Amino acid sequence: MKKLLSASIMCADLLNMERSVREIERAGIDYLHIDIMDGSFVPNITLGFDLINAVKQITDMPLDVHMMVNEPSRFLELMKLSENDILCVHYESELHIARTLEAIKKKGIKAGLAINPGTSVDTFRYLTELIDMALVMTVNPGFAGQRIIPCAERKVRDTRGLLDSLGKKDIPIEVDGNISPENGIKMSRAGADIFVLGTSALFLKDKEMSEAASSLRAVL
Ligand code: DX5
Ligand code: ZN
C-alpha cells in the first residue's frame, strides 16, 4: 500500500490558517488531519466544526477528521464532508460504535475507527466491514508534543496481522502521535500506511515543510 502523509493542522500557525494550508499543499502532503476535541473525551479543546467547513472551502485536499469527542454521532450533520474525506471516531466514545460507523458510511464518507493506547487491537475484529481506516493512537489523544507509548510498534504490527488474517489487507493503518522520522520508520516497518505529522516531523522551526516532507517520504 502506498504510504501517505497527513498534516495535523492543530500544530499549524492558527493565526494564519490559510497560509498554513497552502504550505501543506505545496509540500505535497496527502491529507489534512483535523483534530476535534470536546474537553470531555480528552482534556483539551482545539479546533471546531466551523473550521472544517471553512477549510473545505479553500482547498481540494482530502480531510482526515479525528473526532476526540463523546458521542460523535451527535455532530455528523455539522460537517460538510465529501467522499474522499475520512471521518474517524473513537471506539471508546460511543456505546453503539457500529451504529455510528454505519451512519458515517451512509453519508458517503469514509469511516475511520480509532483506538486509545489502552484499547485492544481486537476491537477492530468485528467492525472491519464498516471501516475504511484503522487509527492506532501512538500517544494518549488530546495534545501535540507528547512521547510515543512503549507498545506502539507491537500494536501496529498486531493490528496489521489481525486485518490481514481477516482478509482486509486493503484497510490502511494510520498512526497519530510523536511520529518523528525515527518513529515513523519503525511504524512503517510494523505496517502503518498513513502518518499523522505534527510537531515531531513537519511543523519544525529549523526546517522548511517541503524539505521535511520529502525527506520523510524518502524513508517511510
Ligand atoms: C492528536 C494530534 C497530535 C499531534 C501529532 O490527535 O493529532 O497527536 O498533532 O503531532 P506530534 O505528536 O508530533 O506533536
Ligand atoms: Zn489526531
Side-chain angles (χ1 to χ4, degrees), residues 8 10-11 33 35 37 66 68 137 139-146 176-180 196-201:
S8 179
M10 74 178 258
C11 302
H33 185 86
D35 289 302
M37 307 179 190
H66 180 193
M68 286 165 274
M137 286 306 299
V139 297
N140 286 296
F143 297 93
Q146 304 180 82
D176 184 4
N178 194 202
I179 303 302
S180 59
V196 177
L197 306 173
T199 62
S200 311

